[in-house]
Amino acid sequence: MSFVRCIRTLQVGGSNMKMDQLSSEKRNRIVNALVKEYAQRGYLNASTNSIVKDAGISKGSLFNYIGNKEAQYCYIVSYVLNFFKDKLHDYMTGVDVPKDYFESLLFKSNMKIKMSLEYPLEYKLMFDAYMEESPEIKAFMAEKYAFFSDLSMQNGRETLDSETLKDPNDRDKIVEVVHHLIAGYSTNYLNSRKKLSEDEIVEVLEKMTVELDTYFQLFRKHFFK
């Protein structure tokens, strides 16, 4: 399945008509098998034989429900990304999320640490997907990143109160710079470490949260009242 076909089929949320029509029990078995295999062995080394064995289905059924290896990876990564987007919303519902722009970013970062502890395999799969070298997966993840990047900046513009700035007209620029700071810092940090174990992911998230706060203090000093 080509990248374009994969995007058209899955859209943003990881939806797949044939998978959606399965019973929740069977769909969950397949999803769990996909997460386990691709998180533990990666895209190139994953075995469809192991997946169908864990899921309790035939290889023909797997290909019929989702498709080949590329389509499987696209599906499960989309599924996990959407799962974490919803889970982050759930975590932040009914709690006192800081009103301050930077405090809210740090709060979200701590929520991601919580998610990585609660769902270690899923989080590892998501991290590894962003570091995947296969051209078809890199293209797929670039599309995903663009979508979530736009969503993140939109949320940032809604969170940052321009009245707290020395110059209210700087709001959109600050949101964009902070977004690119987090993205670039995260990418460089992860590139220096390549594949991470589940325990290492938690350590990386914790260290990144602390270090990013030092950059946030600079923004406070120079752009905020």
Side-chain angles (χ1 to χ4, degrees), residues 90-214:
D90 291 344
Y91 282 162
M92 297 179 69
T93 299
V95 298
D96 294 326
V97 180
K99 302 296 184 183
D100 178 82
Y101 174 60
F102 293 113
E103 289 298 325
S104 69
L105 290 175
L106 294 174
F107 183 86
K108 288 179 182 178
S109 184
N110 284 317
M111 290 299 98
K112 291 175 183 177
I113 294 172
K114 179 180 178 181
M115 288 191 293
S116 71
L117 288 168
E118 192 171 351
Y119 304 98
L121 275 181
E122 288 84 353
Y123 223 91
K124 184 177 187 304
L125 173 64
M126 183 177 67
F127 262 54
D128 288 350
Y130 279 108
M131 311 309 295
E132 179 55 55
E133 294 296 329
S134 300
E136 65 272 20
I137 302 304
K138 289 185 75 171
F140 176 70
M141 293 308 296
E143 181 79 7
K144 288 293 181 185
Y145 175 80
F147 170 79
F148 285 106
S149 176
D150 289 344
L151 183 63
S152 175
M153 283 197 280
Q154 177 184 334
N155 290 338
R157 286 190 289 269
E158 293 173 354
T159 304
L160 178 54
D161 182 0
S162 59
E163 295 303 315
T164 63
L165 299 172
K166 293 179 180 178
D167 184 348
N169 294 320
D170 287 339
R171 187 196 65 173
D172 289 354
K173 292 179 181 178
I174 290 174
V175 169
E176 184 175 354
V177 170
V178 169
H179 171 78
H180 289 305
L181 166 68
I182 295 172
Y185 184 81
S186 301
T187 299
N188 290 337
Y189 206 99
L190 293 174
N191 276 335
S192 68
R193 287 156 178 77
K194 298 301 180 183
K195 299 294 184 181
L196 299 171
S197 69
E198 293 146 58
D199 291 337
E200 288 172 330
I201 288 174
V202 178
E203 294 174 9
V204 165
L205 287 171
E206 290 175 341
K207 188 170 183 179
M208 284 172 54
T209 299
V210 172
E211 293 183 2
L212 281 171
D213 190 32
T214 64

Side-chain angles (χ1 to χ4, degrees), residues 5-16 71 73-76 78 140 144:
R5 172 83 177 277
C6 189
I7 289 291
R8 186 181 299 119
T9 301
L10 296 176
Q11 299 301 321
V12 174
S15 180
N16 176 291
Y73 197 75
C74 289
Y75 172 80
I76 199 59
S78 293
F140 176 70
K144 288 293 181 185

